[in-house]
């Protein structure tokens, strides 16, 4: 009768090999998970930056675009008021509402028509609930002279726009010209990227 074979060394080797393979798979899986999480964070940050730039850009366009065609029979511009206010925090919207009559008076008295154009936007600083953006562009303006309109020289602008996040939405909380807001603009403000579709 032949001696019985002993499979114990082979079984031990197989178990060790299997344990090694499983350990490698666990390490690879953990690395992939970490990479996906980090990539997800980067995507989230980029999405937030794009929302900040979009709101800042729309604010610069809307605050600088108005004219006689928006006046109602009360010599106010309700469409202009609503369009700007929906981008503002409640506090800033209250301040805007107190001062918007100045723009309306220039339209009534001088027939001023203005149109904003944005060339570029950038984000200087951003965290979970606040951000600072720069918007650069120009304002085309014309005045009424009798039945004719006379164009004036375009006015360039660079705005520093302060935003806060309220209930998941980025809103403008304050703004100023870059020259007043920043004596030494950071590098991110000196080389901002053109907005999609902008025409410098």
């Amino acid at each position: 009768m032949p001696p019985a074979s002993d499979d114990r060394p082979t079984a031990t080797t197989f178990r060790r090999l299997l344990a090694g393979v499983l350990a490698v798979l666990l390490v690879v899986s953990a690395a992939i998970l970490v990479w996906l999480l980090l990539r997800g964070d980067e995507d989230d940050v980029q999405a937030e930056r794009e929302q900040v730039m979009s709101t800042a850009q729309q604010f610069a366009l809307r605050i600088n675009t108005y004219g006689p065609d928006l006046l109602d029979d009360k010599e106010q511009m309700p469409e202009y008021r609503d369009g700007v206010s929906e981008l503002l925090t409640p506090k800033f919207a209250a301040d805007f509402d107190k001062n918007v009559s100045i723009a309306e008076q220039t339209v009534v008295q001088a027939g001023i028509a203005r149109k904003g154009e944005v060339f570029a936007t950038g984000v200087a600083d951003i965290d979970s609930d606040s951000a600072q953006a720069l918007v650069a562009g120009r304002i085309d303006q014309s005045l009424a002279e009798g039945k004719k309109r006379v164009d004036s020289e375009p006015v360039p602008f660079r705005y520093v726009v302060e935003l806060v996040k309220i209930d998941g939405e980025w809103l403008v909380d304050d703004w100023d010209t870059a020259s007043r807001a920043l004596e030494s603009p950071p590098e991110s403000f000196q080389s901002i990227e053109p907005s999609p579709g902008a025409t410098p």
Side-chain angles (χ1 to χ4, degrees), residues 51-71:
Q51 291 175 24
V52 165
M53 288 191 291
S54 177
T55 300
Q57 178 178 340
Q58 282 300 311
F59 170 74
L61 290 173
R62 296 185 192 186
I63 198 76
N64 289 311
T65 302
Y66 56 83
D69 57 320
L70 296 179
L71 288 172

Side-chain angles (χ1 to χ4, degrees), residues 16-32:
R16 288 177 179 172
L17 180 61
L18 181 60
V21 170
L22 290 175
V24 170
L25 288 175
L26 285 173
V27 171
V28 171
S29 298
I32 291 174

Side-chain angles (χ1 to χ4, degrees), residues 71-194:
L71 288 172
D72 63 10
D73 54 5
K74 297 180 181 178
E75 297 186 339
Q76 294 182 342
M77 299 185 295
E79 184 178 338
Y80 172 72
R81 290 173 177 246
D82 293 344
V84 175
S85 293
E86 70 182 14
L87 300 174
L88 311 180
T89 62
K91 175 181 70 69
F92 193 30
D95 291 339
F96 170 72
D97 194 52
K98 293 177 183 176
N99 296 295
V100 68
S101 60
I102 297 174
E104 293 169 338
Q105 289 170 14
T106 63
V107 175
V108 172
Q109 295 171 5
I112 287 180
R114 293 163 59 106
K115 183 177 181 181
E117 183 178 2
V118 170
F119 297 153
T121 57
V123 177
D125 188 35
I126 186 170
D127 56 32
S128 62
D129 60 2
S130 65
Q132 188 179 67
L134 180 77
V135 186
R138 74 177 185 191
I139 305 166
D140 295 320
Q141 181 173 286
S142 64
L143 300 173
E145 288 192 3
K147 295 183 178 180
K148 296 181 180 179
R149 299 205 65 82
V150 178
D151 293 334
S152 58
E153 287 293 320
V155 179
F157 66 80
R158 283 167 64 88
Y159 295 151
V160 176
V161 183
E162 306 286 344
L163 303 98
V164 296
K165 194 174 186 181
I166 299 177
D167 296 331
E169 183 178 9
W170 286 102
L171 298 172
V172 177
D173 194 48
D174 200 2
W175 69 300
D176 204 345
T177 60
S179 59
R180 286 201 304 260
L182 298 172
E183 293 182 1
S184 300
E187 183 179 348
S188 56
F189 274 20
Q190 296 170 358
S191 58
I192 55 179
E193 299 179 357

